[in-house]
Amino acid sequence: DYLASSRAVSKMHLEPATAAVVESYIAPCDLRLGEHEVKKGSWVIAVKVGDEELWERIRSGEYGGFSVGGLAERTPEEVGAEG
């Protein structure tokens, strides 16, 4: 539910992109994804790109990676009486 309601993808942090994070996990062990070796503990995300022009720019190597950022809001927790 978090990914469905909180994800946002943009091109170069400037303009919204027709793309969505569809998977996010910490690699539980060393593994291989396509031609890439992934070490245990690495953060892995999968993004579905719905814009053909953007996908071609990614495939050509013009966009070679991701910059991941986020925002959070702190909310104090209520402390209940112990006992």
Side-chain angles (χ1 to χ4, degrees):
D1 289 340
Y2 171 77
L3 287 178
S5 64
S6 302
R7 64 186 178 220
V9 177
S10 63
K11 291 186 255 181
M12 305 303 289
H13 299 278
L14 300 173
E15 60 183 279
T18 306
V21 178
V22 294
E23 190 171 14
S24 174
Y25 63 94
I26 304 299
C29 59
D30 290 348
L31 55 99
R32 185 168 186 79
L33 293 174
E35 59 190 51
H36 302 282
E37 295 290 333
V38 178
K39 299 257 185 227
K40 177 181 178 177
S42 296
W43 182 23
V44 180
I45 65 171
V47 175
K48 181 175 177 73
V49 178
D51 177 319
E52 191 60 37
E53 179 185 338
L54 175 58
W55 182 238
E56 286 304 317
R57 293 171 84 178
I58 294 166
R59 291 183 61 190
S60 74
E62 181 178 344
Y63 291 146
F66 287 93
S67 173
V68 180
L71 300 173
E73 182 178 320
R74 288 184 181 257
T75 38
E77 290 186 32
E78 290 188 31
V79 178
E82 293 185 12

